[in-house]
């Protein structure tokens, strides 16, 4: 079977590959602006059929009670996708615009392999726990706690790391015994649709267990939030949209998992290797054109070293030009669309009006006449209270800010509505630990440490979301707890 996208990819509903009743919509390569194919355009009727299929599969099959079979299917999917890695790599780079080097990690191969982690967890997890005997109200009882699948999961995913986020939802949900309706972003439908083709043709997943509904209509995600047949909505995207998802889900009292925005701080202490720290901060913010919610976009350095750090950051970012994502040496590719480029550029202009200085970048690359490219941009001269320093930009834009000691660095990091990620560089372990303890964030990197892994829970504080994804904690988001008592 070939996974190279044809003229149009299909929906996966109730185990069958089917066209969308709304026709098709264009898939655009963000590096070239060319239409590279089409995807099935689902309507509310298609989404209704997908939800019905997921509900029926959960309510009438043994899927939720057969952990060994679930593990088998997840491993089948992992192995089948790995057999198609080269085809998936080509289509992913073309559709997402991500640098090809990232497909060897979180843009493709990492998430595929993570399915094996959740298969293992389905088999090893303690699905029941004996609480022993007790005498409530003088009556001797044995008690037991059981964990069971939540039910039907609606998964709504964004375009920036589609494979990572799709599998971070459907992997643990399926391992937990749930059935799933996946609604991917309109910008990257193939990353989900091609997985649907593999599920339908190369695995033993029962009909209705996995449903994949691509559409140009964002309202289909809202349909998942309001439909009472859906038990849980797992959403990754902007904080503004996440609030709407939460409000919509409240009507039917369904559970929600929200992984939302970030404006994470990269804190450099005065005893750190400044050149190494600043170089890492520059690398992070230009990777995949800054299109990552956990990317550190505020570089906070000692005030007495601000000029030196600014020069170092400027020089580092000069070496990461926005370029062709198919080139193995490219770190910064295009942003996803013309609309997103306009958003990034509007923030750069805002920085100017707020009194900031564009140290480098702030424009489109002169050697790129096609593609949605933005030059890596460093902004100085702003206060942390500025909108440019407070709001998520989602582009290769780094704001450098001064701090007046460790306590002030912690204050600046926490002076944000978000709390998704962060980083600290230094040499004194006691001071580093104080910073790690003081910053209110879901993940923290120390001196370049990498927390990204299938077994590490990911999520944020404050406006960065509710719940955790990945790891045992992410798996348990898809479980209910049932208590059972029986008299002895």
């Amino acid at each position: 079977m070939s996974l190279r996208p044809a003229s149009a990819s299909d929906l996966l509903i109730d185990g069958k590959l089917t066209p969308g009743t709304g026709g098709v919509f264009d898939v655009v390569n963000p590096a070239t602006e060319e239409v590279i194919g089409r995807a099935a355009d689902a309507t509310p009727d298609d989404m209704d059929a997908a939800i019905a299929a997921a509900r029926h599969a959960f309510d009438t099959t043994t899927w939720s009670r057969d952990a060994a079979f679930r593990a088998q299917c997840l491993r089948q999917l992992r192995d089948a996708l790995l057999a198609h890695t080269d085809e998936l790599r080509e289509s992913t780079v073309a559709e997402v615009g991500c640098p090809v080097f990232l497909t060897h990690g979180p843009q493709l191969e990492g998430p595929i392999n993570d399915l094996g982690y959740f298969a293992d967890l389905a088999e090893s997890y303690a699905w029941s726990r004996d609480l022993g005997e007790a005498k409530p109200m003088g009556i001797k009882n044995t008690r037991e706690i059981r964990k069971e699948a939540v039910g039907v999961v609606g998964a709504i995913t964004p375009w920036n790391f589609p494979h990572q986020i799709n599998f971070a939802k459907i992997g643990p949900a399926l391992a937990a015994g749930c059935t799933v309706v996946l609604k991917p972003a309109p910008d990257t439908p193939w990353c989900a649709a091609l997985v649907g083709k593999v599920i339908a043709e190369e695995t033993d997943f029962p009909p209705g267990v996995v449903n994949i509904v691509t559409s140009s209509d964002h309202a289909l995600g809202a349909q998942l939030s309001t439909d009472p047949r859906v038990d849980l909505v797992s959403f990754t995207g902007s904080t503004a949209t996440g609030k709407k998802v939460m409000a919509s889900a409240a009507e039917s009292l369904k559970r929600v998992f929200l992984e939302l925005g970030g404006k994470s701080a990269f804190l450099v202490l005065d005893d750190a290797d400044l050149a190494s720290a600043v170089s890492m901060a520059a690398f992070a913010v230009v990777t995949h054109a800054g299109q990552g919610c956990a990317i550190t976009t505020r570089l906070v350095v000692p005030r007495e070293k601000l000029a030196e750090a600014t020069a170092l950051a400027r020089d580092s970012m000069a070496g990461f030009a926005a370029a062709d994502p198919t080139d193995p040496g490219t770190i910064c590719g295009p942003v996803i669309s013309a609309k997103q480029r306009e958003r990034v550029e509007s923030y750069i202009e805002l920085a100017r009006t707020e009194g900031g200085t564009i140290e480098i970048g702030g424009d489109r690359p002169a050697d790129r006449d096609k593609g949605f490219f933005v030059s890596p941009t460093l902004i100085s001269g702003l206060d942390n209270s500025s909108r440019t320093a407070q709001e998520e930009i989602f582009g290769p834009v780094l704001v450098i800010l001064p701090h007046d000691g460790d306590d002030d660095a912690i204050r600046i990091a926490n002076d944000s509505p978000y709390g998704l990620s962060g980083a600290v560089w230094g040499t004194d372990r006691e001071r580093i630990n104080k910073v790690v303890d003081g910053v209110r964030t879901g993940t923290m990197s120390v001196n370049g440490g990498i927390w990204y892994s299938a077994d590490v829970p990911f999520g944020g504080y404050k406006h960065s979301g509710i719940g955790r994804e990945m790891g045992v904690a992410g798996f348990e988001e898809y479980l209910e707890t049932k208590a059972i008592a029986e008299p002895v």
Side-chain angles (χ1 to χ4, degrees), residues 114-148:
D114 289 348
L115 293 172
Y117 168 82
F118 290 109
D120 293 344
L121 193 53
E123 292 179 325
S124 64
Y125 187 73
W127 294 96
S128 63
R129 181 163 58 97
D130 185 1
L131 295 183
E133 295 183 357
K135 292 184 177 180
M137 295 179 286
I139 303 171
K140 191 174 183 180
N141 280 265
T142 60
R143 292 89 38 74
E144 179 187 1
I145 298 296
R146 293 182 189 173
K147 294 290 188 176
E148 299 178 348

Side-chain angles (χ1 to χ4, degrees), residues 259-397:
E259 195 274 284
L260 306 176
K263 191 73 177 182
S264 302
F266 191 115
L267 307 181
V268 183
L269 307 186
D270 60 16
D271 63 345
D273 180 333
L274 188 65
S276 296
V278 170
S279 177
M280 180 61 74
F283 175 85
V285 83
V286 303
T287 299
H288 190 29
Q291 297 173 114
C293 52
I295 290 175
T296 45
T297 52
R298 292 181 293 156
L299 175 58
V300 186
V301 301
R303 188 176 299 276
E304 65 273 14
K305 297 182 179 181
L306 177 60
E308 182 184 1
T310 300
L312 288 167
R314 185 171 57 241
D315 291 347
S316 292
M317 294 181 78
F320 297 124
D324 181 356
T326 65
D327 185 333
T330 294
I331 305 299
C332 181
V335 296
I336 191 66
S337 65
K339 179 181 179 181
Q340 182 62 22
R341 180 173 61 184
E342 290 170 4
R343 172 184 167 84
V344 175
E345 290 175 334
S346 72
Y347 272 102
I348 294 171
E349 185 57 35
L350 174 64
R352 290 189 175 100
T353 64
E354 289 182 317
T357 298
I358 308 302
E359 298 285 348
I360 190 172
D363 55 9
R364 301 179 185 182
D367 61 342
R368 298 281 154 188
D369 59 351
K370 290 287 186 181
F372 307 123
F373 292 93
V374 178
S375 298
T377 301
L378 175 66
I379 300 171
S380 67
L382 294 177
D383 184 82
N384 191 55
S385 63
S386 66
R387 284 182 57 199
T388 311
Q390 284 287 310
E391 298 177 13
E392 187 174 46
I393 298 173
F394 236 58
V397 180

